Each structure stands twice: as C-alpha cells, then as structure tokens.
Amino acid sequence: MSWASIEQTKGEYNYSQFDLFFEQLASRNIGWICILGDANPLYGAPNGIGKLGANATAAQIDGFARFAKDIGQTYGSAGVAIYFELTNEPNTGGGYGDPLRYANLILPAGIALRSVNASVAIGSVADVDPHPDPENP
C-alpha cells in the first residue's frame, strides 16, 4: 500500500481505493498482508517503495509511524489476520544500509501499529537462500 497514494495531504489518510477489497476479504474470513510503502514526498522523500532507506530524517520516520498507526486503526479490527510488512523486503536492497539504521526507520512504525493492535503481526524481510548455487538457480 503506497503511503504517498493514501496520504496526499499531511495528516489526511484516504483508503477508499482499498476499502471494498478489504471488506470483501473480511466477509469471507480471509486475512491479508499489507506491505506499507515507505516513502512520501510530503515528508521530503522521493516517491516509491524502497526509496526512504536508512538515511531517513526524523520527519520521515515520524510520518511513516503515523501512517502505520492510522492504517492499523483503520483495518485492525477487521476480525481476520492482518500482517503488516514494513517496507518491502529490505534485505534484498533498497538502500537501507546497515540493520541498525533500518531498525531506526521501522521501529517507531512497529510500536505505533502495536499501540492500536497488540496482536498484529509485523514482518519485513525476504526469504533468501544463504547459499545460492549459480549453476543451479
């Protein structure tokens, strides 16, 4: 879910493009995974998933955390399992740098999500083969 498409004015979140989809899933008792895109030009970041990276400013980190909290409040009581992925597969690139700097980016968002739904599942890494075989992909 693109943060920039949902928050086009600071502090105003519009989920109308997703509401029917999520209502239909919940009515069928189907959970979902929300990948939260981590950039919004309103906060000085280039637009697009994976662009915020480890060099995020305090304003960008705070804005992302507020977005995460709002989406948790909006869909967190759907009655089905919802998993939130904070940014998309950061361990496969995207400019996140070292793990500590990445943690500084997503920790406030994770805390914000948990503040509105203590049982929400949060993840963020891709499954990567630690021993790739170039001869047998």
Side-chain angles (χ1 to χ4, degrees), residues 6-136:
I6 293 168
E7 184 184 9
Q8 296 182 5
T9 301
K10 278 191 178 183
E12 295 179 18
Y13 305 95
N14 181 346
Y15 302 101
S16 60
Q17 61 187 315
F18 302 103
D19 286 341
L20 180 60
F21 177 70
F22 289 143
E23 288 169 14
Q24 291 295 314
L25 289 173
S27 73
R28 291 164 174 78
N29 200 32
I30 300 171
W32 59 83
I33 298 173
C34 289
I35 300 173
L36 303 184
D38 67 346
N40 190 323
L42 293 175
Y43 296 88
N47 193 7
I49 292 175
K51 302 291 186 195
L52 194 51
N55 295 315
T57 66
Q60 294 162 347
I61 292 169
D62 290 344
F64 186 56
R66 285 190 302 274
F67 166 56
K69 182 176 182 176
D70 191 78
I71 200 167
Q73 287 174 318
T74 300
Y75 295 115
S77 62
V80 295
I82 304 171
Y83 302 93
F84 289 94
E85 183 175 343
L86 302 176
T87 72
N88 188 33
E89 302 175 351
N91 58 318
T92 62
Y96 292 99
D98 67 70
L100 179 58
R101 293 178 76 189
Y102 174 69
N104 289 334
L105 171 64
I106 67 158
L107 185 60
I111 291 169
L113 272 168
R114 288 272 164 82
S115 76
V116 295
N117 186 339
S119 64
V120 68
I122 301 170
S124 65
V125 297
D127 181 21
V128 177
D129 182 356
H131 306 289
D133 179 358
E135 300 295 321
N136 196 8

